[in-house]
Amino acid sequence: LEEEVLQLEERAIAEVEARTAAVEKMRKLRGNLADSTKANRATGLRVGVLREECEAGEEACARLQQQHEELSQQVAEATENAAAARDSALAAEEATESLSKQAAELAQEALGL
């Protein structure tokens, strides 16, 4: 009977130790889960911040692209205006030369009279 009691005590002690180990393991797992949950929340927040920064960057890029298109249009217009001004200057120069020739011819005719 004593031996049976000793065996029961040993089994009870072994069961208590096993349960204690299981409880400790469960506590550790809960701690790991809490740490993982915190890390996931922090990662989620960082992803949100990065998403907002990305959207802001895309908006800034779109604005810069629009400005680039506007400036390209202005450059094209300025180039056209410069070409027109050059053409006008050449025409004015030719007209001036023609008028100078005409003036010289008229002066010679006036002297010949």
Side-chain angles (χ1 to χ4, degrees):
L1 187 61
E2 266 184 50
E3 194 164 311
E4 282 182 37
V5 170
L6 285 175
Q7 286 178 354
L8 286 174
E9 284 178 351
E10 286 175 4
R11 272 197 249 151
I13 290 171
E15 191 174 320
V16 167
E17 288 173 351
R19 287 184 182 187
T20 301
V23 167
E24 288 300 317
K25 188 173 183 179
M26 189 66 113
R27 285 183 184 152
K28 186 176 180 180
L29 290 173
R30 282 185 184 149
N32 290 344
L33 178 61
D35 291 346
S36 293
T37 301
K38 287 178 189 175
N40 286 343
R41 284 187 189 131
T43 300
L45 292 174
R46 184 67 184 141
V47 166
V49 168
L50 290 173
R51 184 176 291 123
E52 289 174 4
E53 289 175 357
C54 184
E55 289 171 359
E58 289 172 349
E59 291 171 4
C61 183
R63 284 191 305 274
L64 287 173
Q65 187 171 4
Q66 178 65 31
Q67 290 174 354
H68 173 72
E69 290 171 7
E70 291 170 1
L71 289 173
S72 294
Q73 181 63 34
Q74 290 174 2
V75 166
E77 290 172 4
T79 302
E80 289 176 15
N81 291 341
R86 183 192 69 230
D87 292 345
S88 294
L90 289 174
E93 186 178 336
E94 289 174 2
T96 301
E97 288 176 11
S98 177
L99 289 174
S100 293
K101 284 181 184 179
Q102 288 177 4
E105 289 171 0
L106 287 174
Q108 283 182 348
E109 284 180 27
L111 288 175
L113 292 176

